[in-house]
Amino acid sequence: MPGHFEPRPGGGASITLDEVEISILRSLAVQLMELIGPGEEPVEGADPLAALFAEGPSEPPSDPALARLFPDAYGGPDAHQGDESAKAASSEFRRFTENDLRTRKRDDAHDMVRALDALSPGPGGSAELTLDPRRSARWLGALNDLRLTIGTRLEVGDDDEGAGLYRLPDSDPRKPMVMAYLWLGVLQETLVETLMPS
């Protein structure tokens, strides 16, 4: 089966990607970074210790994809109806964790872009990507974030995994996004398998 990760001796993973696959993955990773946002630039001369304790937002994002990437810590949005203590706890948790989580997710996607940019497709138009165990974990995070984002845009529920999406006609404008979602699922699944001990 083409386009899946294989384990490497000593840890890590490798995959052969063609130019189209490289381009699609890179484009998706860049779009993910744009969705997450640029992050806060440190103020010149600012106290680095104070930056460690910088507070983030206390409210969940209004964009459904961002809300999926940065969910409430205590239940979902509907769980807070009438439960002010859960809402307050979620807000407090978000204030002190979301900035770091955004940074990590952005860094994972940026690592994906850097790795793809370093590839040089050969005469056949494909290149082998090799990831060490640390980079494999970063890619796994980025693939998961991409699938969550696309799944949210496609309105894939937790229960159905979008069963109806498999039967979309080719003329449906969502079809390319569905194909990307399914392909990312294969990449994610095979990368997980390479990280599992034999």
Side-chain angles (χ1 to χ4, degrees), residues 79-95:
H80 297 160
Q81 306 236 342
D83 187 354
E84 290 303 314
S85 64
K87 182 176 181 179
S90 284
S91 292
E92 191 73 3
F93 186 82
R94 182 179 297 281
R95 274 186 31 218

Side-chain angles (χ1 to χ4, degrees), residues 24-87:
I24 290 170
L25 273 176
R26 188 185 189 290
S27 174
L28 291 172
V30 167
Q31 290 176 56
L32 179 62
M33 288 189 299
E34 290 170 355
L35 176 67
I36 292 169
E40 297 292 323
E41 287 294 319
V43 177
E44 191 172 327
D47 179 5
L49 186 58
L52 287 174
F53 296 101
E55 293 183 14
S58 59
E59 295 295 320
S62 58
D63 183 306
L66 284 173
R68 184 86 165 123
L69 291 175
F70 306 105
D72 278 329
Y74 303 100
D78 298 335
H80 297 160
Q81 306 236 342
D83 187 354
E84 290 303 314
S85 64
K87 182 176 181 179

Side-chain angles (χ1 to χ4, degrees), residues 117-139:
D117 285 348
L119 294 178
S120 298
S126 63
E128 183 177 4
L129 171 71
T130 302
L131 304 173
D132 61 28
R134 181 194 61 81
R135 216 164 194 191
S136 293
R138 294 190 83 162
W139 268 64

Side-chain angles (χ1 to χ4, degrees), residues 7 29 33 39 48 62 76 93 104 113 115 149-150 156 168:
M33 288 189 299
S62 58
F93 186 82
R104 185 181 57 77
V113 170
T149 302
I150 293 172
V156 175
L168 285 178

Side-chain angles (χ1 to χ4, degrees), residues 24 28 147 150 175-185:
I24 290 170
L28 291 172
R147 285 197 82 231
I150 293 172
K175 188 73 171 199
M177 201 168 9
V178 169
M179 298 306 293
Y181 177 78
L182 297 174
W183 177 54
L184 290 169

Side-chain angles (χ1 to χ4, degrees), residues 2 10 14-15 23 61 73 91 107 124 172 178 192 197:
S14 65
I15 186 171
S23 175
S91 292
D107 288 350
D172 192 298
V178 169
V192 166

